[in-house]
Amino acid sequence: MPNGLAFSPDESLLYINDSGAIQEGASDFDIRRPHHITVFDVINNRSLANERLFALITPGIPDGIKVDTEGRVYSSSQGNLQVFDTDGRLIGEIVPPTPSVTNFVFGGPDNNILYIVDDTAVYSAEIAAVGAV
């Protein structure tokens, strides 16, 4: 169940979140169903090829997905944001005050502020990275 799209900064790759591990809501989580990010090569700006697993999201499912100017991939998971390098290795996590991230976006004048939303609030965090446009 695709649930988010993001291009690499040069638009040569397309990342797709798959949150199929939940079908009816958070209480319906089934580890045997998809909870990962897939990546495709973009061919001639028109088609996709070479589908492959980029990263497994655990705990939980991927929801929002964004990429920074260095090509790092950010994905929400259960309670935090996970940050992956360009090879799909988990290199960090951003944990907001309440563990219930539903989505996020880069913003601010320099596009280096993460705005993170959960079920009840919006948080912001200035980071060293800059979101890709």
Short mmCIF file of all heavy atoms in Angstrom, two decimals, residues 6-9 13 15-17 37 39 54-55 57 64-68 70-76 81-92 104 106:
data_model
loop_
_atom_site.label_atom_id
_atom_site.label_comp_id
_atom_site.label_asym_id
_atom_site.label_seq_id
_atom_site.Cartn_x
_atom_site.Cartn_y
_atom_site.Cartn_z
N ALA A 6 8.97 10.29 -2.85
CA ALA A 6 9.98 11.34 -2.81
C ALA A 6 11.06 11.03 -3.84
O ALA A 6 11.46 9.88 -3.98
CB ALA A 6 10.61 11.45 -1.43
N PHE A 7 11.49 12.06 -4.56
CA PHE A 7 12.59 11.92 -5.51
C PHE A 7 13.90 12.23 -4.83
O PHE A 7 13.97 13.05 -3.90
CB PHE A 7 12.43 12.90 -6.68
CG PHE A 7 11.43 12.48 -7.70
CD1 PHE A 7 10.19 13.10 -7.76
CD2 PHE A 7 11.72 11.48 -8.62
CE1 PHE A 7 9.26 12.74 -8.73
CE2 PHE A 7 10.80 11.10 -9.58
CZ PHE A 7 9.56 11.72 -9.63
N SER A 8 14.98 11.63 -5.33
CA SER A 8 16.33 12.04 -4.94
C SER A 8 16.53 13.47 -5.47
O SER A 8 15.79 13.93 -6.34
CB SER A 8 17.35 11.08 -5.54
OG SER A 8 17.29 11.09 -6.95
N PRO A 9 17.53 14.19 -4.95
CA PRO A 9 17.72 15.58 -5.38
C PRO A 9 17.88 15.74 -6.90
O PRO A 9 17.40 16.72 -7.47
CB PRO A 9 18.99 16.02 -4.65
CG PRO A 9 19.01 15.17 -3.42
CD PRO A 9 18.45 13.84 -3.85
N LEU A 13 16.18 8.88 -8.82
CA LEU A 13 15.61 7.81 -8.01
C LEU A 13 14.25 8.24 -7.48
O LEU A 13 14.05 9.42 -7.15
CB LEU A 13 16.52 7.50 -6.81
CG LEU A 13 17.95 7.05 -7.13
CD1 LEU A 13 18.78 7.00 -5.86
CD2 LEU A 13 17.94 5.69 -7.83
N TYR A 15 11.65 7.12 -4.38
CA TYR A 15 11.44 6.35 -3.16
C TYR A 15 9.94 6.27 -2.91
O TYR A 15 9.23 7.27 -3.03
CB TYR A 15 12.11 7.02 -1.96
CG TYR A 15 13.60 7.17 -2.13
CD1 TYR A 15 14.14 8.35 -2.62
CD2 TYR A 15 14.46 6.13 -1.82
CE1 TYR A 15 15.52 8.50 -2.80
CE2 TYR A 15 15.83 6.27 -1.98
CZ TYR A 15 16.34 7.45 -2.47
OH TYR A 15 17.70 7.59 -2.63
N ILE A 16 9.47 5.07 -2.53
CA ILE A 16 8.05 4.88 -2.24
C ILE A 16 7.92 4.17 -0.90
O ILE A 16 8.47 3.08 -0.71
CB ILE A 16 7.34 4.07 -3.35
CG1 ILE A 16 7.48 4.79 -4.69
CG2 ILE A 16 5.88 3.84 -2.99
CD1 ILE A 16 6.89 4.02 -5.86
N ASN A 17 7.17 4.79 0.02
CA ASN A 17 6.85 4.15 1.30
C ASN A 17 5.75 3.13 1.07
O ASN A 17 4.78 3.40 0.37
CB ASN A 17 6.32 5.18 2.30
CG ASN A 17 7.41 5.89 3.04
OD1 ASN A 17 8.56 5.54 2.96
ND2 ASN A 17 7.03 6.92 3.78
N ILE A 37 10.60 0.88 2.60
CA ILE A 37 10.77 1.86 1.53
C ILE A 37 11.38 1.12 0.35
O ILE A 37 12.38 0.43 0.48
CB ILE A 37 11.68 3.02 1.95
CG1 ILE A 37 11.12 3.75 3.17
CG2 ILE A 37 11.88 4.00 0.78
CD1 ILE A 37 12.08 4.75 3.78
N VAL A 39 12.89 1.60 -3.66
CA VAL A 39 13.48 2.62 -4.53
C VAL A 39 13.52 2.10 -5.96
O VAL A 39 13.71 0.91 -6.19
CB VAL A 39 14.88 3.06 -4.05
CG1 VAL A 39 15.87 1.90 -4.08
CG2 VAL A 39 15.39 4.25 -4.84
N PHE A 54 14.88 -0.54 -0.27
CA PHE A 54 15.80 0.48 0.20
C PHE A 54 16.02 0.35 1.70
O PHE A 54 17.15 0.33 2.17
CB PHE A 54 15.28 1.88 -0.15
CG PHE A 54 16.16 2.99 0.35
CD1 PHE A 54 17.36 3.27 -0.27
CD2 PHE A 54 15.79 3.76 1.44
CE1 PHE A 54 18.18 4.29 0.20
CE2 PHE A 54 16.59 4.77 1.92
CZ PHE A 54 17.79 5.04 1.28
N ALA A 55 14.94 0.28 2.47
CA ALA A 55 15.05 0.20 3.93
C ALA A 55 13.80 -0.42 4.52
O ALA A 55 12.70 -0.20 4.03
CB ALA A 55 15.28 1.59 4.53
N ILE A 57 11.37 -0.37 7.70
CA ILE A 57 11.02 0.55 8.79
C ILE A 57 10.56 -0.28 9.98
O ILE A 57 9.62 -1.06 9.90
CB ILE A 57 9.90 1.52 8.37
CG1 ILE A 57 10.32 2.32 7.14
CG2 ILE A 57 9.52 2.43 9.52
CD1 ILE A 57 11.56 3.16 7.31
N GLY A 64 5.24 9.51 6.34
CA GLY A 64 5.80 10.57 5.53
C GLY A 64 7.20 10.21 5.05
O GLY A 64 7.91 9.43 5.69
N ILE A 65 7.61 10.76 3.91
CA ILE A 65 8.95 10.54 3.39
C ILE A 65 9.45 11.82 2.72
O ILE A 65 8.70 12.48 1.99
CB ILE A 65 9.00 9.34 2.42
CG1 ILE A 65 10.44 9.02 2.00
CG2 ILE A 65 8.10 9.57 1.23
CD1 ILE A 65 10.58 7.71 1.26
N LYS A 66 10.70 12.19 3.00
CA LYS A 66 11.33 13.37 2.41
C LYS A 66 12.80 13.05 2.17
O LYS A 66 13.34 12.10 2.74
CB LYS A 66 11.25 14.59 3.35
CG LYS A 66 9.86 14.93 3.85
CD LYS A 66 8.95 15.47 2.78
CE LYS A 66 7.60 15.88 3.32
NZ LYS A 66 6.65 14.79 3.54
N VAL A 67 13.46 13.88 1.35
CA VAL A 67 14.87 13.72 1.04
C VAL A 67 15.56 15.07 1.22
O VAL A 67 14.98 16.11 0.91
CB VAL A 67 15.04 13.21 -0.42
CG1 VAL A 67 16.51 13.10 -0.80
CG2 VAL A 67 14.34 11.87 -0.61
N ASP A 68 16.80 15.04 1.74
CA ASP A 68 17.54 16.30 1.86
C ASP A 68 18.47 16.48 0.66
O ASP A 68 18.56 15.61 -0.22
CB ASP A 68 18.25 16.41 3.21
CG ASP A 68 19.43 15.46 3.40
OD1 ASP A 68 19.99 14.97 2.39
OD2 ASP A 68 19.80 15.21 4.56
N GLU A 70 21.55 16.28 0.33
CA GLU A 70 22.64 15.31 0.25
C GLU A 70 22.14 13.92 -0.13
O GLU A 70 22.93 12.98 -0.22
CB GLU A 70 23.39 15.25 1.58
CG GLU A 70 24.02 16.56 1.99
CD GLU A 70 25.08 17.03 1.00
OE1 GLU A 70 25.88 16.19 0.54
OE2 GLU A 70 25.10 18.23 0.67
N GLY A 71 20.82 13.78 -0.33
CA GLY A 71 20.26 12.49 -0.73
C GLY A 71 19.86 11.59 0.42
O GLY A 71 19.41 10.46 0.19
N ARG A 72 20.00 12.06 1.66
CA ARG A 72 19.54 11.26 2.80
C ARG A 72 18.02 11.20 2.78
O ARG A 72 17.35 12.17 2.43
CB ARG A 72 20.06 11.84 4.11
CG ARG A 72 21.57 11.71 4.26
CD ARG A 72 22.05 12.38 5.53
NE ARG A 72 21.90 13.82 5.43
CZ ARG A 72 22.92 14.67 5.27
NH1 ARG A 72 24.15 14.24 5.21
NH2 ARG A 72 22.69 15.97 5.20
N VAL A 73 17.49 10.06 3.19
CA VAL A 73 16.04 9.82 3.16
C VAL A 73 15.51 9.84 4.59
O VAL A 73 16.05 9.16 5.47
CB VAL A 73 15.72 8.48 2.47
CG1 VAL A 73 14.24 8.18 2.52
CG2 VAL A 73 16.23 8.49 1.02
N TYR A 74 14.43 10.59 4.80
CA TYR A 74 13.78 10.72 6.11
C TYR A 74 12.41 10.05 6.01
O TYR A 74 11.66 10.31 5.07
CB TYR A 74 13.58 12.19 6.46
CG TYR A 74 14.85 12.98 6.59
CD1 TYR A 74 15.65 13.24 5.47
CD2 TYR A 74 15.26 13.47 7.82
CE1 TYR A 74 16.83 13.97 5.59
CE2 TYR A 74 16.44 14.21 7.94
CZ TYR A 74 17.21 14.44 6.82
OH TYR A 74 18.37 15.16 6.94
N SER A 75 12.10 9.21 6.99
CA SER A 75 10.79 8.56 7.00
C SER A 75 10.25 8.52 8.41
O SER A 75 10.99 8.24 9.36
CB SER A 75 10.90 7.13 6.47
OG SER A 75 9.64 6.48 6.54
N SER A 76 8.96 8.79 8.53
CA SER A 76 8.35 8.61 9.85
C SER A 76 8.25 7.11 10.11
O SER A 76 8.23 6.29 9.20
CB SER A 76 6.98 9.28 9.92
OG SER A 76 6.13 8.74 8.94
N LEU A 81 11.29 9.96 13.59
CA LEU A 81 11.73 10.05 12.20
C LEU A 81 13.01 9.27 12.08
O LEU A 81 13.92 9.44 12.90
CB LEU A 81 12.01 11.50 11.79
CG LEU A 81 10.84 12.45 11.73
CD1 LEU A 81 11.31 13.84 11.33
CD2 LEU A 81 9.80 11.96 10.76
N GLN A 82 13.11 8.42 11.09
CA GLN A 82 14.33 7.69 10.84
C GLN A 82 15.04 8.33 9.66
O GLN A 82 14.41 8.76 8.70
CB GLN A 82 14.03 6.22 10.57
CG GLN A 82 13.44 5.54 11.78
CD GLN A 82 13.19 4.06 11.58
OE1 GLN A 82 13.24 3.53 10.47
NE2 GLN A 82 12.91 3.36 12.67
N VAL A 83 16.38 8.41 9.73
CA VAL A 83 17.18 9.02 8.69
C VAL A 83 18.11 7.94 8.12
O VAL A 83 18.83 7.28 8.87
CB VAL A 83 18.01 10.21 9.23
CG1 VAL A 83 18.77 10.89 8.10
CG2 VAL A 83 17.11 11.20 9.96
N PHE A 84 18.10 7.80 6.79
CA PHE A 84 18.89 6.79 6.10
C PHE A 84 19.88 7.45 5.16
O PHE A 84 19.56 8.47 4.53
CB PHE A 84 17.98 5.87 5.29
CG PHE A 84 16.99 5.12 6.13
CD1 PHE A 84 15.74 5.66 6.39
CD2 PHE A 84 17.31 3.89 6.67
CE1 PHE A 84 14.82 4.99 7.18
CE2 PHE A 84 16.39 3.21 7.46
CZ PHE A 84 15.15 3.75 7.71
N ASP A 85 21.07 6.86 5.04
CA ASP A 85 22.01 7.36 4.05
C ASP A 85 21.58 6.89 2.66
O ASP A 85 20.57 6.20 2.52
CB ASP A 85 23.45 6.96 4.39
CG ASP A 85 23.75 5.46 4.27
OD1 ASP A 85 22.93 4.70 3.70
OD2 ASP A 85 24.83 5.05 4.73
N THR A 86 22.33 7.25 1.64
CA THR A 86 21.93 6.94 0.27
C THR A 86 21.96 5.45 -0.04
O THR A 86 21.41 5.03 -1.06
CB THR A 86 22.81 7.70 -0.73
OG1 THR A 86 24.18 7.36 -0.50
CG2 THR A 86 22.62 9.21 -0.60
N ASP A 87 22.57 4.65 0.83
CA ASP A 87 22.58 3.19 0.65
C ASP A 87 21.51 2.49 1.46
O ASP A 87 21.46 1.26 1.49
CB ASP A 87 23.96 2.63 1.02
CG ASP A 87 25.04 3.08 0.06
OD1 ASP A 87 24.77 3.12 -1.16
OD2 ASP A 87 26.14 3.40 0.53
N GLY A 88 20.68 3.26 2.16
CA GLY A 88 19.59 2.67 2.94
C GLY A 88 19.97 2.25 4.35
O GLY A 88 19.21 1.57 5.02
N ARG A 89 21.13 2.67 4.82
CA ARG A 89 21.54 2.37 6.19
C ARG A 89 20.96 3.42 7.14
O ARG A 89 21.08 4.63 6.87
CB ARG A 89 23.06 2.35 6.32
CG ARG A 89 23.71 1.14 5.66
CD ARG A 89 25.21 1.13 5.94
NE ARG A 89 25.87 2.29 5.36
CZ ARG A 89 26.52 2.28 4.20
NH1 ARG A 89 26.61 1.18 3.51
NH2 ARG A 89 27.09 3.38 3.76
N LEU A 90 20.38 2.96 8.24
CA LEU A 90 19.86 3.87 9.26
C LEU A 90 21.03 4.59 9.90
O LEU A 90 21.93 3.95 10.45
CB LEU A 90 19.08 3.08 10.31
CG LEU A 90 18.45 3.90 11.44
CD1 LEU A 90 17.37 4.83 10.90
CD2 LEU A 90 17.87 2.97 12.49
N ILE A 91 21.03 5.93 9.81
CA ILE A 91 22.15 6.71 10.37
C ILE A 91 21.73 7.59 11.54
O ILE A 91 22.57 8.20 12.18
CB ILE A 91 22.85 7.56 9.29
CG1 ILE A 91 21.87 8.50 8.61
CG2 ILE A 91 23.56 6.66 8.29
CD1 ILE A 91 22.53 9.51 7.67
N GLY A 92 20.42 7.66 11.80
CA GLY A 92 19.97 8.47 12.92
C GLY A 92 18.47 8.47 13.06
O GLY A 92 17.74 7.99 12.18
N PHE A 104 5.63 15.02 8.37
CA PHE A 104 6.62 16.06 8.59
C PHE A 104 6.95 16.72 7.26
O PHE A 104 6.63 16.18 6.19
CB PHE A 104 7.89 15.49 9.23
CG PHE A 104 8.59 14.48 8.38
CD1 PHE A 104 9.71 14.84 7.65
CD2 PHE A 104 8.13 13.18 8.28
CE1 PHE A 104 10.35 13.92 6.84
CE2 PHE A 104 8.77 12.25 7.48
CZ PHE A 104 9.88 12.62 6.75
N PHE A 106 10.09 19.69 5.48
CA PHE A 106 11.15 20.69 5.61
C PHE A 106 10.55 22.05 5.32
O PHE A 106 9.70 22.19 4.44
CB PHE A 106 12.27 20.43 4.59
CG PHE A 106 13.22 19.34 4.97
CD1 PHE A 106 13.07 18.07 4.46
CD2 PHE A 106 14.28 19.59 5.83
CE1 PHE A 106 13.94 17.05 4.79
CE2 PHE A 106 15.17 18.59 6.18
CZ PHE A 106 15.00 17.31 5.65
#
